[in-house]
Amino acid sequence: MKVLVTGGAGYIGSHTTVELIGAGHEVVIVDNLVNADMTCVEGACRICGADIPFEQADCCDAGAMDALFEKYRFDAVIHFAALKAVGESVSKPLEYYRNNLDSLMTVLETMRRHGTPNIVFSSSCTVYGQADRLPVTEQTPRREGSSPYGKSKQMCENILSDTIAAYGDLTAIALRYFNPIGAHPSALIGELPRGTPNNLLPFITQTAAGIREQLSIFGDDYDTPDGTNLRDYIDVVDLAQAHVAALERMFGGRSSEPFEVFNVGTGRAVSVLELVRRFEIVNGVKLNYRIVGRRAGDIVAVWADTARANRELGWTAQRSLDDTLASAWRWEKAVRGM
Ligand code: UFG
Protein backbone atom coordinates (compact mmCIF):
# COMPACT_ATOMS: atom_id res chain seq x y z
CA MET A 1 0.00 0.00 0.00
CA LYS A 2 1.12 3.59 -0.56
CA VAL A 3 1.53 5.50 2.70
CA LEU A 4 2.18 9.19 3.33
CA VAL A 5 4.32 9.65 6.44
CA THR A 6 4.04 13.24 7.66
CA GLY A 7 6.96 14.25 9.85
CA GLY A 8 8.90 11.32 8.39
CA ALA A 9 12.25 13.10 8.84
CA GLY A 10 11.76 13.03 12.60
CA TYR A 11 12.60 10.51 15.27
CA ILE A 12 9.54 8.24 15.29
CA GLY A 13 8.60 9.02 11.68
CA SER A 14 11.94 7.83 10.29
CA HIS A 15 11.86 4.58 12.28
CA THR A 16 8.29 3.94 11.15
CA THR A 17 9.27 4.58 7.53
CA VAL A 18 11.93 1.87 7.80
CA GLU A 19 9.47 -0.65 9.30
CA LEU A 20 6.80 0.14 6.68
CA ILE A 21 9.24 -0.41 3.84
CA GLY A 22 10.46 -3.60 5.51
CA ALA A 23 6.84 -4.80 5.57
CA GLY A 24 6.49 -4.18 1.82
CA HIS A 25 4.69 -0.83 1.79
CA GLU A 26 5.58 2.17 -0.35
CA VAL A 27 6.35 5.34 1.60
CA VAL A 28 6.42 9.03 0.72
CA ILE A 29 7.78 11.36 3.40
CA VAL A 30 6.55 14.91 3.81
CA ASP A 31 8.28 17.17 6.33
CA ASN A 32 8.72 20.93 6.63
CA LEU A 33 12.14 20.41 8.30
CA VAL A 34 11.47 23.02 10.99
CA ASN A 35 12.48 20.56 13.68
CA ALA A 36 14.48 18.00 11.68
CA ASP A 37 17.05 17.80 8.93
CA MET A 38 17.72 15.21 6.24
CA THR A 39 19.99 13.03 8.43
CA CYS A 40 17.31 10.47 9.28
CA VAL A 41 15.80 10.47 5.79
CA GLU A 42 19.25 9.64 4.41
CA GLY A 43 19.76 7.06 7.17
CA ALA A 44 16.40 5.44 6.39
CA CYS A 45 17.33 5.29 2.69
CA ARG A 46 20.59 3.52 3.59
CA ILE A 47 18.90 1.03 5.90
CA CYS A 48 16.28 0.18 3.27
CA GLY A 49 18.63 0.37 0.28
CA ALA A 50 15.97 2.50 -1.37
CA ASP A 51 15.50 6.04 -2.56
CA ILE A 52 12.54 7.06 -0.38
CA PRO A 53 10.54 9.88 -1.99
CA PHE A 54 10.82 13.04 0.12
CA GLU A 55 8.76 16.20 -0.27
CA GLN A 56 9.47 19.35 1.74
CA ALA A 57 6.14 20.93 2.59
CA ASP A 58 4.08 22.06 5.55
CA CYS A 59 1.00 20.01 6.40
CA CYS A 60 -0.90 23.23 7.18
CA ASP A 61 -0.48 24.26 3.50
CA ALA A 62 -3.65 22.98 1.84
CA GLY A 63 -2.37 23.74 -1.67
CA ALA A 64 0.83 21.80 -1.11
CA MET A 65 -1.10 18.89 0.42
CA ASP A 66 -3.50 18.80 -2.54
CA ALA A 67 -0.59 18.69 -4.97
CA LEU A 68 1.01 15.87 -2.98
CA PHE A 69 -2.14 13.74 -2.85
CA GLU A 70 -2.76 14.38 -6.54
CA LYS A 71 0.76 13.26 -7.40
CA TYR A 72 0.84 10.05 -5.34
CA ARG A 73 -2.70 8.80 -4.59
CA PHE A 74 -2.20 7.43 -1.07
CA ASP A 75 -3.97 4.52 0.59
CA ALA A 76 -3.21 5.86 4.07
CA VAL A 77 -1.55 8.59 6.09
CA ILE A 78 0.48 8.29 9.26
CA HIS A 79 0.42 11.74 10.80
CA PHE A 80 3.46 12.47 12.97
CA ALA A 81 4.09 16.07 11.96
CA ALA A 82 3.66 18.21 15.08
CA LEU A 83 5.46 20.43 17.55
CA LYS A 84 6.31 18.37 20.62
CA ALA A 85 8.25 20.23 23.31
CA VAL A 86 6.08 20.36 26.42
CA GLY A 87 7.88 23.33 28.04
CA GLU A 88 8.05 25.37 24.84
CA SER A 89 4.31 24.86 24.31
CA VAL A 90 3.62 26.75 27.55
CA SER A 91 5.43 29.84 26.24
CA LYS A 92 4.18 29.49 22.63
CA PRO A 93 0.60 28.22 22.94
CA LEU A 94 -0.67 29.81 19.74
CA GLU A 95 2.11 28.24 17.68
CA TYR A 96 1.32 24.84 19.19
CA TYR A 97 -2.43 25.05 18.73
CA ARG A 98 -2.13 26.54 15.23
CA ASN A 99 0.37 23.99 14.03
CA ASN A 100 -0.85 20.81 15.71
CA LEU A 101 -4.57 21.33 15.08
CA ASP A 102 -4.31 22.97 11.66
CA SER A 103 -1.99 20.31 10.26
CA LEU A 104 -4.34 17.50 11.32
CA MET A 105 -7.43 19.28 9.98
CA THR A 106 -5.71 20.10 6.70
CA VAL A 107 -4.58 16.49 6.31
CA LEU A 108 -8.11 15.20 7.05
CA GLU A 109 -9.72 17.62 4.59
CA THR A 110 -7.21 16.65 1.93
CA MET A 111 -7.78 12.95 2.59
CA ARG A 112 -11.54 13.42 2.15
CA ARG A 113 -11.11 15.37 -1.09
CA HIS A 114 -8.87 12.66 -2.51
CA GLY A 115 -10.66 9.61 -1.14
CA THR A 116 -7.82 8.44 1.11
CA PRO A 117 -9.58 6.34 3.73
CA ASN A 118 -7.11 5.51 6.53
CA ILE A 119 -5.13 7.51 9.07
CA VAL A 120 -2.93 6.61 12.02
CA PHE A 121 -2.45 9.48 14.45
CA SER A 122 0.43 10.06 16.89
CA SER A 123 -1.17 10.56 20.25
CA SER A 124 0.39 10.41 23.67
CA CYS A 125 -0.11 9.01 27.14
CA THR A 126 -0.05 12.66 28.16
CA VAL A 127 -3.84 12.58 27.50
CA TYR A 128 -4.27 10.61 30.75
CA GLY A 129 -2.45 13.07 33.03
CA GLN A 130 -1.92 11.57 36.50
CA ALA A 131 -4.36 8.67 36.56
CA ASP A 132 -5.89 7.46 39.82
CA ARG A 133 -5.27 3.84 38.90
CA LEU A 134 -2.23 2.34 37.21
CA PRO A 135 -1.53 0.96 34.71
CA VAL A 136 -3.77 3.02 32.45
CA THR A 137 -6.09 1.33 29.98
CA GLU A 138 -7.69 3.01 26.98
CA GLN A 139 -10.80 3.44 29.16
CA THR A 140 -8.95 5.39 31.85
CA PRO A 141 -10.57 8.84 31.86
CA ARG A 142 -8.54 11.54 30.18
CA ARG A 143 -7.54 14.41 32.46
CA GLU A 144 -7.28 18.02 31.29
CA GLY A 145 -3.80 18.29 29.72
CA SER A 146 -1.19 20.13 31.75
CA SER A 147 0.34 21.98 28.77
CA PRO A 148 -0.80 23.33 25.41
CA TYR A 149 1.10 20.41 23.87
CA GLY A 150 -0.88 17.87 25.90
CA LYS A 151 -4.14 19.69 25.26
CA SER A 152 -3.40 19.78 21.54
CA LYS A 153 -3.13 15.96 21.54
CA GLN A 154 -6.48 15.69 23.33
CA MET A 155 -8.07 18.13 20.89
CA CYS A 156 -6.65 16.21 17.94
CA GLU A 157 -8.19 12.98 19.24
CA ASN A 158 -11.53 14.86 19.53
CA ILE A 159 -11.20 16.22 16.00
CA LEU A 160 -10.57 12.72 14.69
CA SER A 161 -13.44 11.20 16.59
CA ASP A 162 -15.95 13.89 15.54
CA THR A 163 -14.80 13.86 11.91
CA ILE A 164 -15.09 10.12 11.65
CA ALA A 165 -18.50 10.05 13.31
CA ALA A 166 -19.81 12.71 10.93
CA TYR A 167 -18.64 11.54 7.53
CA GLY A 168 -18.28 7.79 7.51
CA ASP A 169 -15.60 7.81 4.81
CA LEU A 170 -12.57 7.60 7.10
CA THR A 171 -11.08 5.06 9.49
CA ALA A 172 -8.59 6.17 12.12
CA ILE A 173 -6.40 4.70 14.82
CA ALA A 174 -4.80 6.91 17.47
CA LEU A 175 -1.75 5.40 19.12
CA ARG A 176 -1.06 6.72 22.60
CA TYR A 177 2.70 6.48 22.96
CA PHE A 178 4.38 6.13 26.30
CA ASN A 179 8.05 7.25 26.45
CA PRO A 180 9.89 6.34 23.22
CA ILE A 181 13.64 5.81 23.60
CA GLY A 182 16.53 4.14 21.78
CA ALA A 183 17.54 4.05 18.15
CA HIS A 184 17.67 1.73 15.17
CA PRO A 185 20.24 -1.05 15.74
CA SER A 186 22.17 0.14 12.65
CA ALA A 187 22.82 3.50 14.40
CA LEU A 188 21.88 5.18 11.10
CA ILE A 189 18.76 6.84 12.51
CA GLY A 190 17.85 8.03 16.00
CA GLU A 191 16.73 11.00 18.04
CA LEU A 192 18.38 14.32 17.13
CA PRO A 193 17.18 16.94 19.61
CA ARG A 194 18.01 20.54 18.73
CA GLY A 195 19.74 22.47 21.51
CA THR A 196 19.46 21.23 25.08
CA PRO A 197 17.39 18.04 25.23
CA ASN A 198 14.15 18.12 27.24
CA ASN A 199 13.78 14.37 27.49
CA LEU A 200 15.65 12.10 29.82
CA LEU A 201 17.43 9.67 27.51
CA PRO A 202 18.97 12.18 25.10
CA PHE A 203 20.17 14.10 28.16
CA ILE A 204 21.73 10.92 29.51
CA THR A 205 23.50 10.05 26.25
CA GLN A 206 24.76 13.63 25.81
CA THR A 207 26.06 13.63 29.38
CA ALA A 208 27.81 10.32 28.76
CA ALA A 209 29.31 11.79 25.58
CA GLY A 210 30.61 14.84 27.49
CA ILE A 211 28.33 17.33 25.69
CA ARG A 212 26.49 18.10 28.95
CA GLU A 213 28.37 18.44 32.19
CA GLN A 214 25.77 16.93 34.49
CA LEU A 215 22.38 15.25 34.40
CA SER A 216 19.80 16.70 36.77
CA ILE A 217 17.33 14.21 38.21
CA PHE A 218 14.14 16.11 38.90
CA GLY A 219 13.10 15.06 42.39
CA ASP A 220 13.64 11.95 44.53
CA ASP A 221 10.88 12.64 47.04
CA TYR A 222 7.92 11.28 45.07
CA ASP A 223 5.72 8.53 46.44
CA THR A 224 7.43 5.77 44.43
CA PRO A 225 9.78 2.94 45.48
CA ASP A 226 12.99 5.00 45.05
CA GLY A 227 11.39 8.45 45.13
CA THR A 228 11.87 9.21 41.41
CA ASN A 229 9.15 9.28 38.71
CA LEU A 230 7.97 6.10 37.03
CA ARG A 231 7.53 5.88 33.25
CA ASP A 232 6.99 3.23 30.60
CA TYR A 233 9.99 3.47 28.24
CA ILE A 234 9.34 1.86 24.88
CA ASP A 235 11.91 1.07 22.20
CA VAL A 236 11.34 3.27 19.15
CA VAL A 237 11.56 0.26 16.79
CA ASP A 238 8.82 -1.54 18.75
CA LEU A 239 6.78 1.66 18.58
CA ALA A 240 7.38 1.93 14.82
CA GLN A 241 6.15 -1.64 14.37
CA ALA A 242 2.91 -0.79 16.19
CA HIS A 243 2.17 1.66 13.35
CA VAL A 244 2.57 -1.08 10.77
CA ALA A 245 0.22 -3.30 12.78
CA ALA A 246 -2.34 -0.49 13.07
CA LEU A 247 -2.26 0.21 9.32
CA GLU A 248 -2.58 -3.44 8.46
CA ARG A 249 -5.58 -3.73 10.77
CA MET A 250 -7.30 -0.94 8.82
CA PHE A 251 -6.23 -2.29 5.41
CA GLY A 252 -7.54 -5.71 6.40
CA GLY A 253 -10.90 -4.24 7.43
CA ARG A 254 -10.37 -5.58 10.95
CA SER A 255 -11.10 -2.36 12.87
CA SER A 256 -13.98 -2.98 15.24
CA GLU A 257 -14.94 0.71 15.11
CA PRO A 258 -14.01 3.45 12.64
CA PHE A 259 -12.03 5.28 15.34
CA GLU A 260 -9.93 3.19 17.69
CA VAL A 261 -7.37 4.07 20.33
CA PHE A 262 -4.48 1.91 21.56
CA ASN A 263 -1.87 2.30 24.27
CA VAL A 264 1.60 1.64 22.93
CA GLY A 265 3.97 0.88 25.76
CA THR A 266 5.69 -2.07 27.39
CA GLY A 267 3.57 -2.37 30.53
CA ARG A 268 6.75 -2.01 32.59
CA ALA A 269 7.30 0.88 35.03
CA VAL A 270 10.91 2.09 35.32
CA SER A 271 12.12 4.85 37.62
CA VAL A 272 14.46 7.64 36.57
CA LEU A 273 17.21 6.28 38.85
CA GLU A 274 16.76 2.74 37.55
CA LEU A 275 17.10 4.00 33.97
CA VAL A 276 20.24 5.94 34.82
CA ARG A 277 21.84 2.97 36.63
CA ARG A 278 20.88 0.51 33.92
CA PHE A 279 22.38 2.81 31.29
CA GLU A 280 25.66 2.90 33.22
CA ILE A 281 25.82 -0.88 33.61
CA VAL A 282 24.80 -1.81 30.07
CA ASN A 283 27.14 0.67 28.41
CA GLY A 284 30.00 0.61 30.90
CA VAL A 285 29.97 4.37 31.41
CA LYS A 286 29.72 6.56 34.49
CA LEU A 287 27.14 9.33 34.50
CA ASN A 288 27.66 12.53 36.38
CA TYR A 289 24.27 13.22 37.93
CA ARG A 290 22.73 14.97 40.88
CA ILE A 291 19.29 15.15 42.40
CA VAL A 292 17.61 18.54 42.04
CA GLY A 293 14.11 19.86 42.74
CA ARG A 294 11.00 18.59 41.01
CA ARG A 295 10.26 19.77 37.46
CA ALA A 296 7.00 21.71 37.17
CA GLY A 297 4.25 19.75 35.46
CA ASP A 298 5.80 16.27 35.89
CA ILE A 299 3.35 13.55 36.80
CA VAL A 300 4.47 11.01 39.39
CA ALA A 301 3.87 7.79 37.52
CA VAL A 302 2.34 6.44 34.33
CA TRP A 303 2.63 3.12 32.58
CA ALA A 304 0.52 1.23 30.09
CA ASP A 305 -1.88 -1.62 30.19
CA THR A 306 -1.09 -2.97 26.72
CA ALA A 307 -3.62 -5.82 26.64
CA ARG A 308 -5.75 -4.17 23.98
CA ALA A 309 -2.86 -3.58 21.57
CA ASN A 310 -1.51 -7.09 22.25
CA ARG A 311 -4.87 -8.68 21.51
CA GLU A 312 -6.30 -6.49 18.73
CA LEU A 313 -3.16 -5.40 16.89
CA GLY A 314 -1.31 -8.67 17.47
CA TRP A 315 1.58 -6.47 18.59
CA THR A 316 3.79 -6.67 21.68
CA ALA A 317 6.92 -4.72 22.58
CA GLN A 318 9.81 -7.14 21.98
CA ARG A 319 13.04 -5.35 22.84
CA SER A 320 14.63 -5.47 26.27
CA LEU A 321 15.43 -2.27 28.13
CA ASP A 322 19.13 -3.20 28.05
CA ASP A 323 19.17 -3.57 24.26
CA THR A 324 17.34 -0.28 23.91
CA LEU A 325 19.78 1.57 26.17
CA ALA A 326 22.68 0.08 24.21
CA SER A 327 21.12 1.26 20.93
CA ALA A 328 20.71 4.79 22.30
CA TRP A 329 24.38 4.96 23.25
CA ARG A 330 25.52 3.50 19.90
CA TRP A 331 23.52 6.21 18.13
CA GLU A 332 24.91 9.03 20.28
CA LYS A 333 28.46 7.81 19.61
CA ALA A 334 27.75 7.57 15.87
CA VAL A 335 26.40 11.14 15.81
CA ARG A 336 29.48 12.42 17.68
CA GLY A 337 31.93 10.36 15.62
CA MET A 338 33.09 8.56 18.79
N1 UFG B 1 13.93 13.79 33.79
C1 UFG B 1 15.00 14.09 34.61
N2 UFG B 1 16.01 14.84 34.09
C2 UFG B 1 16.01 15.32 32.82
C3 UFG B 1 14.90 15.00 31.99
C4 UFG B 1 13.88 14.24 32.52
O1 UFG B 1 15.04 13.70 35.77
O2 UFG B 1 16.94 16.01 32.42
C5 UFG B 1 12.86 12.94 34.31
C6 UFG B 1 11.51 13.63 34.34
O3 UFG B 1 11.32 14.35 35.53
C7 UFG B 1 10.57 12.44 34.20
C8 UFG B 1 11.36 11.44 33.36
O4 UFG B 1 12.71 11.84 33.44
O5 UFG B 1 10.33 11.89 35.44
C9 UFG B 1 10.95 11.43 31.91
O6 UFG B 1 10.98 12.74 31.41
P1 UFG B 1 10.89 13.07 29.85
O7 UFG B 1 10.99 14.54 29.69
O8 UFG B 1 11.86 12.24 29.10
O9 UFG B 1 9.45 12.52 29.46
P2 UFG B 1 8.02 12.93 30.05
O10 UFG B 1 7.48 11.69 30.65
O11 UFG B 1 8.05 14.12 30.86
O12 UFG B 1 7.29 13.39 28.71
C10 UFG B 1 7.16 12.50 27.68
C11 UFG B 1 7.21 13.19 26.31
C12 UFG B 1 5.97 13.96 26.05
C13 UFG B 1 4.76 13.19 26.37
C14 UFG B 1 4.84 12.71 27.78
C15 UFG B 1 3.65 11.90 28.17
O13 UFG B 1 8.32 14.05 26.23
O14 UFG B 1 5.94 14.30 24.67
O15 UFG B 1 5.96 11.87 27.89
O16 UFG B 1 3.67 11.63 29.53
F1 UFG B 1 3.65 13.94 26.24
Side-chain angles (χ1 to χ4, degrees), residues 84 86 124-126 149 179 198-200 203 215-218 229 231 233 272 295 298:
K84 62 169 189 179
V86 177
S124 166
C125 68
T126 198
Y149 162 78
N179 289 52
N198 297 301
N199 296 117
L200 179 58
F203 211 105
L215 167 73
S216 297
I217 293 182
F218 300 132
N229 291 153
R231 295 287 185 275
Y233 294 96
V272 176
R295 181 170 71 175
D298 269 340

Side-chain angles (χ1 to χ4, degrees), residues 33-337:
L33 299 182
V34 297
N35 199 24
D37 57 31
M38 291 299 281
T39 307
C40 289
V41 176
E42 287 157 10
C45 290
R46 281 187 60 195
I47 295 168
C48 298
D51 206 3
I52 303 163
F54 173 84
E55 303 275 349
Q56 185 170 355
D58 193 313
C59 293
C60 300
D61 180 343
M65 288 300 108
D66 257 331
L68 198 61
F69 277 65
E70 192 57 48
K71 181 170 170 190
Y72 291 102
R73 309 231 156 249
F74 300 111
D75 300 294
V77 176
I78 304 186
H79 185 52
F80 292 104
L83 298 174
K84 62 169 189 179
V86 177
E88 184 187 60
S89 77
V90 176
S91 53
K92 297 180 174 170
L94 287 175
E95 277 180 43
Y96 272 69
Y97 289 126
R98 163 68 64 199
N99 181 76
N100 291 2
L101 304 186
D102 194 354
S103 63
L104 174 65
M105 293 188 290
T106 305
V107 165
L108 288 172
E109 285 168 348
T110 315
M111 288 174 68
R112 297 200 61 235
R113 272 198 298 280
H114 292 264
T116 303
N118 304 302
I119 180 166
V120 177
F121 176 70
S122 285
S123 191
S124 166
C125 68
T126 198
V127 302
Y128 297 115
Q130 182 57 68
D132 294 332
R133 270 206 241 145
L134 292 164
V136 293
T137 73
E138 291 80 357
Q139 281 75 45
T140 298
R142 298 185 323 177
R143 287 263 165 85
E144 167 92 342
S146 60
S147 68
Y149 162 78
K151 288 176 193 165
S152 79
K153 290 292 175 191
Q154 296 176 328
M155 290 175 193
C156 284
E157 286 193 358
N158 295 345
I159 289 168
L160 275 171
S161 150
D162 291 342
T163 302
I164 278 146
Y167 303 121
D169 54 359
L170 293 174
T171 305
I173 291 181
L175 299 179
R176 291 179 177 160
Y177 312 154
F178 286 69
N179 289 52
I181 60 168
H184 193 269
S186 64
L188 289 168
I189 56 176
E191 191 167 8
L192 274 179
R194 290 200 167 159
T196 310
N198 297 301
N199 296 117
L200 179 58
L201 204 65
F203 211 105
I204 289 177
T205 56
Q206 289 195 10
T207 307
I211 318 288
R212 310 278 152 205
E213 210 176 301
Q214 192 170 53
L215 167 73
S216 297
I217 293 182
F218 300 132
D220 69 348
D221 55 352
Y222 287 98
D223 184 16
T224 59
D226 66 17
T228 64
N229 291 153
L230 297 172
R231 295 287 185 275
D232 183 337
Y233 294 96
I234 175 163
D235 189 288
V236 66
V237 176
D238 281 327
L239 175 57
Q241 288 172 349
H243 294 76
V244 179
L247 265 193
E248 291 181 348
R249 177 174 174 84
M250 294 192 291
F251 290 150
R254 295 194 302 276
S255 295
S256 55
E257 285 165 30
F259 177 49
E260 296 183 311
V261 175
F262 294 98
N263 284 342
V264 187
T266 65
R268 179 180 61 205
V270 175
S271 79
V272 176
L273 269 174
E274 273 178 86
L275 197 78
V276 166
R277 294 198 178 124
R278 213 56 233 162
F279 184 90
E280 292 183 319
I281 292 166
V282 167
N283 295 312
V285 295
K286 199 83 203 100
L287 281 170
N288 179 23
Y289 69 85
R290 72 189 167 120
I291 311 287
V292 301
R294 294 180 176 194
R295 181 170 71 175
D298 269 340
I299 58 166
V300 182
V302 65
W303 67 96
D305 181 322
T306 62
R308 181 153 199 250
N310 302 155
R311 188 179 64 238
E312 305 286 325
L313 296 178
W315 167 92
T316 309
Q318 304 283 336
R319 285 147 188 89
S320 72
L321 183 62
D322 286 3
D323 285 349
T324 303
L325 293 174
S327 74
W329 182 225
R330 245 192 337 269
W331 164 246
E332 185 71 53
K333 286 192 290 183
V335 169
R336 307 292 162 195

Side-chain angles (χ1 to χ4, degrees), residues 22-39:
H25 299 290
E26 269 179 75
V27 174
V28 175
I29 292 175
V30 63
D31 202 299
N32 63 7
L33 299 182
V34 297
N35 199 24
D37 57 31
M38 291 299 281
T39 307

